[in-house]
Structures are given as structure tokens and as C-alpha cells.
Amino acid sequence: MRRLLLILSLLFYTTSCAPQLSLQSPASFGSGPAAGAPLTALRVTTHDRGELLFQEDGWRLTTGGIEGRALVHTADGVDYAKDTTLSYWDAASASPAGRSNTMSQFMLTILGVILVLGLAAIILYAAFLATAR
């Protein structure tokens, strides 16, 4: 039991001090509306090489497309803000812009591994007690 606690505490201390590799500055996203964008947003590229940046909680998916206030960067280099509904057919690609949550996903994975190992240890311990009689 001590050995298991030692391994779990060592695993916890080594993963809780891991650097957050997902931090990026807004300027690293490229030109266009991302230069003054919040750290989390939805970036949509259209078929005509335009770019729309929907800010966090400023957009929603509807039956007609992506609706909300967007910072628009056209292929001609014009920037403006607009309330818009972008059709799904006009969108070439969509991706998150800003911080991603890879660190939280990593910590959830570690927690899942710890829980599975703990459950396996409990089952093996119960099996050992049942066969020791």
C-alpha cells in the first residue's frame, strides 16, 4: 500500500509541475482580425480566402450557419466588425483561435489513469482476500 501511495504521489508531483505548452500570444495567430482578438475565439476561413473571427461566447450555431458578431478580414485586406450569419456552405475551414485546453485534457487523462489503476488495485486486493481463506 505504501508503494502504491508513493508512486501515485510521485506521479502527481511530476505532472502538476509540467509547463503549459499551450500558451500563445494573440500576435502569433497571424495577420487580420486575430491581432486584437481575445485569447479564445473561433476562426472561420471562407472559400474566397476571407477570414471571420467570432469572439468567445459571441457566436452560436444555427440551422442557417454560424451566427454572431465577427471581426472580418477580407482577401483584399479590409478589416471590419459585423453582425453576420455565415452559411456552412461558405465556410472552408474552422478552428479555435487562442488558448487550447491541452493542459486540462492532459490532467484529466492522468486522473483517469490513476482512477483505473486504483480500481484495479482494489479488485486485486479483494481477489487476494477471497482466495486467502
Side-chain angles (χ1 to χ4, degrees):
M1 189 66 174
R2 274 190 199 171
R3 186 176 294 170
L4 179 64
L5 287 177
L6 180 63
I7 291 172
L8 290 178
S9 64
L10 179 64
L11 182 65
F12 174 75
Y13 287 122
T14 58
T15 58
S16 64
C17 297
Q20 292 186 359
L21 301 175
S22 64
L23 294 179
Q24 297 176 344
S25 66
S28 67
F29 299 130
S31 62
L39 290 176
T40 55
L42 174 69
R43 177 182 307 193
V44 179
T45 305
T46 61
H47 291 291
D48 61 356
R49 292 179 300 197
E51 185 177 288
L52 285 86
L53 188 71
F54 294 93
Q55 297 180 3
E56 179 183 15
D57 297 331
W59 59 276
R60 64 187 180 120
L61 298 178
T62 63
T63 56
I66 305 168
E67 180 181 288
R69 183 138 183 97
L71 299 171
V72 180
H73 178 75
T74 63
D76 301 332
V78 178
D79 293 331
Y80 58 92
K82 178 182 178 183
D83 283 330
T84 185
T85 300
L86 178 68
S87 171
Y88 296 119
W89 299 108
D90 293 333
S93 67
S95 63
R99 288 185 183 157
S100 60
N101 57 355
T102 55
M103 189 62 182
S104 62
Q105 290 174 349
F106 175 72
M107 292 305 287
L108 284 175
T109 303
I110 295 299
L111 178 65
V113 168
I114 290 170
L115 290 175
V116 167
L117 290 175
L119 182 62
I122 291 171
I123 291 171
L124 288 174
Y125 183 70
F128 176 73
L129 289 179
T131 57
R133 292 182 183 180

